[in-house]
Amino acid sequence: MANVKSTMVPDFEVKFLLDATKVFDPASSKPNDILRAAFKLPEKPSRMDVQFLDTPSREIYNAGWSPRIRKIEGESGYELTYKKRYPIIDHQADGAIDTGDLLTALTVARDDGFDTTETKYDAQVEWGFQKQTLSISRKKKVKKGTVGKKEMGLPGEEESRKLLGDQIPGKFDDWSFEKWGTSLLSQAVIYGPISAERYEGRWEGVEVDVEIWPIRSKDTDTGTENIVEISFKSDNGNHAGCTQKVLGEYLTEKGWLVPSDSLKTQLIMDRYGPQEPDGDEGATGNYTDMA
């Protein structure tokens, strides 16, 4: 029981991919009226500019980490996130979570130093159509110059390295060896940026977010494809599982569901930055990316 008590207690974020051709109006670049009505979406979204930093060979990502800079409309300065991911193995899309598999992931994270004494880190189960991932995140807010609530845009490469390096948390910095993170960030390049939109809605008493991410197309350097995702959060695993099942059935009935997992971070890492990975797209790393 000592191991159970010392592991972090996660919340849950359930995510589904939606078919952009059926829920997105390309003429207005917004969700169509049917989707808007179904989830009580507002007319105006909030905007987010996002970029990741990594070495050209993606050493940080391949170690399961993702350092990110985000500018959110309506908030001053930048939000920095350092996220570590752990796979939750053998999950099946049955509307339930295997507590044994989750405990295994939490125990691995605990052995890496992410335990109940780490109050500055947040644990979350990212729950997709089939796969689940445990993510451990440290977020920091930095106010920079005149970057106010209304201004959008992200810093360039040199400034991004400095921002993430100046705020670097110890666990990320000393992950493989002392100053591992500092060393890799000094060589890092930008993957992105992406300008996304978020619509905050409601469905069956549950607060939901619909996000639209225009990500560079696989086959062209100039075109983009819209990744449309719906998500909700819950502090309770049983509630998350039951709602995941009902929402998935509803989206399937409407013909909106894409029966695969959302892999935004992986797509960004594959399609931005200085080089493409060898072999099949998304084949890097030994963990599950659900962001």
Side-chain angles (χ1 to χ4, degrees), residues 31-254:
N32 61 32
D33 291 341
I34 299 175
L35 188 76
R36 191 185 302 278
F39 294 104
K40 299 178 174 58
L41 303 181
E43 183 68 26
K44 190 177 186 320
S46 59
R47 294 183 297 162
M48 303 177 292
D49 290 339
V50 182
Q51 64 190 24
F52 297 83
L53 260 70
D54 205 337
T55 64
S57 57
R58 307 197 305 191
E59 293 168 82
I60 299 174
Y61 181 74
N62 289 335
W65 282 95
S66 293
R68 180 187 73 190
I69 301 177
R70 182 165 68 172
K71 176 64 177 72
I72 302 173
E73 186 178 26
E75 297 183 11
S76 299
Y78 302 117
E79 178 190 84
L80 311 182
T81 301
Y82 307 80
K83 180 183 287 190
K84 178 71 175 78
R85 293 186 176 89
Y86 295 89
I88 300 174
I89 62 172
D90 295 335
H91 172 65
Q92 300 297 321
D94 56 3
I97 187 166
D98 188 314
T99 55
D101 291 340
L102 174 57
L103 180 57
T104 297
L106 286 166
T107 301
V108 174
R110 182 211 63 199
D111 292 344
D112 283 340
F114 297 110
D115 56 30
T116 51
T117 65
E118 279 294 357
T119 57
K120 295 181 179 179
Y121 286 82
D122 296 315
Q124 183 176 81
V125 174
E126 299 172 347
W127 192 331
F129 177 72
Q130 289 182 307
K131 296 179 180 179
Q132 295 172 349
T133 301
L134 172 66
S135 69
I136 311 290
S137 299
R138 176 77 181 272
K139 291 185 179 181
K140 298 190 178 187
K141 294 278 191 178
V142 293
K143 293 188 177 181
K144 188 69 177 176
T146 59
V147 180
K149 294 182 178 181
K150 294 184 179 180
E151 290 82 6
M152 297 300 291
L154 293 167
E157 195 165 274
E158 184 175 350
E159 185 178 355
S160 295
R161 290 172 178 167
K162 179 171 174 51
L163 284 173
L164 287 166
D166 287 349
Q167 299 293 326
I168 193 168
K171 281 188 172 56
F172 173 66
D173 198 14
D174 299 332
W175 183 249
S176 293
F177 51 82
E178 188 175 357
K179 298 299 180 183
W180 174 85
T182 297
S183 173
L184 294 182
L185 283 176
S186 70
Q187 312 166 45
V189 297
I190 290 173
Y191 290 76
I194 313 296
S195 294
E197 294 184 336
R198 173 187 292 157
Y199 294 82
E200 298 180 0
R202 198 166 186 85
W203 179 81
E204 299 293 331
V206 177
E207 294 181 357
V208 298
D209 290 331
V210 173
E211 295 184 359
I212 300 173
W213 290 64
I215 293 179
R216 179 182 293 167
S217 174
K218 178 180 179 181
D219 299 320
T220 175
D221 290 335
T222 56
T224 60
E225 62 176 292
N226 289 306
I227 306 300
V228 184
E229 178 186 275
I230 187 168
S231 64
F232 70 87
K233 295 180 180 179
S234 177
D235 292 330
N236 183 282
N238 290 329
H239 173 263
C242 291
T243 308
Q244 191 257 9
K245 185 174 187 298
V246 175
L247 178 57
E249 291 172 349
Y250 176 78
L251 296 173
T252 300
E253 180 183 336
K254 291 290 186 181

Side-chain angles (χ1 to χ4, degrees), residues 278-291:
D278 294 332
D280 294 336
E281 182 179 348
T284 60
N286 56 2
Y287 62 94
T288 303
D289 174 8
M290 284 295 305

